[in-house]
Amino acid sequence: MPLKHLLCAARRLQAAWQAPAIQAAREAERALDYLHGCHQGLNRAGRVATKPVEHQLSGVVPALRRDVLARVRALERAAHHARHCLEQPPVAAPDATALLAELRQLQDEFGNLEVNLRTQTITVTTEAITLEDVSLGPFAVHFSWCHLDLTEPIQSFEVLALEPHPASTNDQVTHPHVRNGKLCPGDATAPLRKAVEQGRLADAFCLIRSVLSHYNSASPHVALSAWESEECHDCGRGMRLEEQCYCSECDYEFCTDCTGVCATCDADRCHGCLTLCSLCGLRLCGRCCRTSAFSGRECCAKCLRTCGSCGARVASDELDAERQRCPLCPEAEAIVMGPLVPAITDTLPI
Amino acid sequence: MQILFVNNDGGGFADQIEIDPGTTVARLFEQRLPGRKAEDYLIRVNRQPASADQMLQAGDRVTMTPTKIEGARIAR
Ligand SMILES: [Zn+2]
Ligand SMILES: [Zn+2]
Ligand SMILES: [Zn+2]
Ligand SMILES: [Zn+2]
Ligand SMILES: [Zn+2]
């Protein structure tokens, strides 16, 4: 990145850091002005309130005393607020030279750096991150310096997956510690706040990278062990990878409770894709399920018989057991084949 | 002699510290992060990578940043 561009960015960054410092100074000034005003008001009220006592106008005293008390309380609150403002450590805005050094270090640390003066963002890209064999791809870390909030600096960062491999149960979770583009910095919270406060941008980005490069199994949005988990297409229960059964017939994943095995070929199928043989009651996959040519009833291959006459495959209980004929054949035989058969059989013994 | 020391572990300490002349990067690490492993830290002297036996000079800026930090589910 050209030096001119970096220098320009450093100056803009410096202005961004100065803004909260100026704001804090103004607030302290306002708090002191208000405190002063409260003090003056109390002085005036106090003087008025003591006069009636001198003149023995006892009836007026309670109201004036209440007024003085209210002013004392207001003064107390004003003093408390002023103290709070003055107790805040003064924000020393980093100078442009230091910020330029930060930008150059960022470029060195990440091997890439983008500064967009129009959108007021700094972006670096991490290397591809793999945690416990789950590859999450590289992440772009954006820092936006408009509305810089030094008390909640993580809000100025956005972490976006460049080749997202989100948790299957929530596509907004692109990393165990990133949801909706926001990183939960965990143990990095305090050092990150310090780093941003002091304008140590390179440290801030490195801290974020350190969180992205590590998995805290005690507090993830989605555990890596459940990263690939899916919901059962039938009952909707969340399943881990090892619990999933794929049904190749309907192309969905099912839990083990919603899955059965074909009695003929042992293939796993969802309950919806298994058919019961209408004769023996065994479960059948689509490939192993047959239909009777006569009735269309679904049954297994073992429960089908071949008609000795027309060759049709029909359910075994539909076949005339004695003559091995399907229900369609006896009449047909009587009409068409009838006269010929005896003649042939008569001749056989000869 | 004085150096600026930034420890990005824990609370994020950053201040001038007094060290003995001849202190190396490795020695400073032992003093400041006892019991930790140097390979778990990104150590920079004046924003540049440094070797363990590099002798520190007055005015140096040394940063030590853990390379693996436990993130969370909710921002603390
Ligand atoms: Zn199920
Ligand atoms: Zn089958
Ligand atoms: Zn199915
Ligand atoms: Zn059957
Ligand atoms: Zn037949």
Side-chain angles (χ1 to χ4, degrees):
Chain A
M1 188 162 293
L3 183 63
K4 206 179 122 192
H5 193 64
L6 285 182
L7 204 59
C8 185
R11 289 206 195 94
R12 303 268 185 99
L13 285 167
Q14 190 194 14
W17 256 268
Q18 277 168 344
I22 292 169
Q23 202 187 333
R26 279 198 193 128
E27 192 171 343
E29 205 176 303
R30 270 198 302 271
L32 284 172
D33 279 351
Y34 182 66
L35 177 63
H36 185 63
C38 284
H39 190 229
Q40 284 182 325
L42 175 63
N43 275 344
R44 277 195 301 273
R47 276 198 296 273
V48 176
T50 49
K51 276 181 190 164
V53 179
E54 289 160 7
H55 299 287
Q56 304 296 308
L57 296 170
S58 54
V60 193
V61 174
L64 291 174
R65 274 180 70 98
R66 273 199 299 278
D67 178 46
V68 174
L69 181 64
R71 286 175 188 278
V72 168
R73 287 199 182 116
L75 181 71
E76 224 168 44
R77 281 196 299 273
H80 187 266
H81 179 61
R83 201 185 91 182
H84 175 78
C85 287
L86 294 169
E87 273 175 355
Q88 300 305 309
V91 186
D95 60 37
T97 316
L99 287 163
L100 177 65
E102 292 291 336
L103 292 175
R104 297 179 116 172
Q105 190 185 348
L106 265 179
Q107 209 161 16
D108 291 344
E109 299 289 0
F110 288 85
N112 62 78
L113 171 70
E114 256 177 67
V115 178
N116 190 324
L117 296 174
R118 195 180 52 79
T119 59
Q120 306 184 46
T121 46
I122 294 171
T123 305
V124 296
T125 303
T126 69
E127 293 189 330
I129 290 171
T130 297
L131 299 173
E132 307 209 336
D133 292 334
V134 177
S135 59
L136 303 167
F139 289 83
V141 183
H142 302 280
F143 169 75
S144 156
W145 71 75
C146 58
H147 313 302
L148 179 63
D149 180 1
L150 294 179
T151 54
E152 209 61 67
I154 191 64
Q155 297 306 327
S156 301
F157 288 90
E158 203 173 19
V159 178
L160 298 179
L162 294 177
E163 291 161 26
H165 174 201
S168 54
T169 47
N170 184 346
D171 62 4
Q172 292 305 306
V173 177
T174 53
H175 181 284
H177 308 302
V178 176
R179 188 172 61 190
N180 292 324
K182 287 290 168 201
L183 175 81
C184 293
D187 289 351
T189 305
L192 185 71
R193 186 178 295 141
K194 273 273 165 63
V196 175
E197 193 181 289
Q198 297 170 357
R200 287 184 282 113
L201 273 177
D203 286 355
F205 276 93
C206 286
L207 282 162
I208 287 175
R209 178 172 62 185
S210 299
V211 175
L212 291 174
S213 313
H214 184 65
Y215 173 49
N216 174 15
S217 61
S219 187
H221 287 297
V222 174
L224 283 173
S225 55
W227 204 254
E228 313 277 2
S229 81
E230 273 196 57
E231 285 175 3
C232 169
H233 189 67
D234 189 346
C235 68
R237 196 164 64 84
M239 316 165 287
R240 294 180 167 203
L241 189 62
E242 61 272 22
E243 295 170 330
Q244 293 171 22
C245 295
Y246 172 69
C247 174
S248 62
E249 223 151 298
C250 59
D251 203 27
Y252 287 111
E253 298 283 349
F254 294 87
C255 72
T256 43
D257 289 347
C258 296
T259 308
V261 176
C262 170
T264 305
C265 71
D266 281 344
D268 288 330
R269 291 288 185 273
C270 74
H271 286 168
C273 291
L274 286 170
T275 311
L276 297 183
C277 169
S278 56
L279 275 83
C280 69
L282 286 179
R283 288 170 162 183
L284 304 165
C285 73
R287 227 173 31 211
C288 300
C289 183
R290 305 278 181 269
T291 50
S292 164
F294 170 64
S295 61
R297 286 157 75 206
E298 291 171 318
C299 48
C300 69
K302 282 182 185 156
C303 294
L304 283 181
R305 296 286 180 277
T306 308
C307 169
S309 170
C310 67
R313 302 274 288 161
V314 298
S316 60
D317 63 354
E318 290 162 359
L319 198 78
D320 184 319
E322 216 175 288
R323 305 173 57 219
Q324 297 291 303
R325 296 287 189 274
C326 74
L328 291 172
C329 279
E331 292 163 46
E333 184 188 74
I335 299 160
V336 184
M337 309 283 285
L340 295 172
V341 179
I344 298 163
T345 46
D346 280 355
T347 57
L348 276 176
I350 303 163
Chain B
M1 65 182 201
Q2 282 210 326
I3 61 162
L4 172 67
F5 177 63
V6 179
N7 177 4
N8 283 312
D9 209 347
F13 173 92
D15 214 341
Q16 298 288 330
I17 59 162
E18 190 69 34
I19 59 164
D20 292 331
T23 302
T24 61
V25 170
R27 185 81 197 100
L28 182 72
F29 183 84
E30 280 165 26
Q31 288 170 352
R32 290 284 156 170
L33 292 159
R36 309 294 175 90
K37 286 187 231 145
E39 58 264 35
D40 293 338
Y41 288 79
L42 192 76
I43 300 172
R44 297 287 181 260
V45 176
N46 302 325
R47 303 180 185 277
Q48 298 296 318
S51 62
D53 57 2
Q54 183 176 326
M55 208 104 81
L56 294 171
Q57 307 296 320
D60 274 352
R61 177 188 194 273
V62 183
T63 61
M64 294 181 183
T65 309
T67 53
K68 289 181 166 61
I69 304 179
E70 306 234 297
R73 187 170 40 205
I74 21 169
R76 276 184 250 166

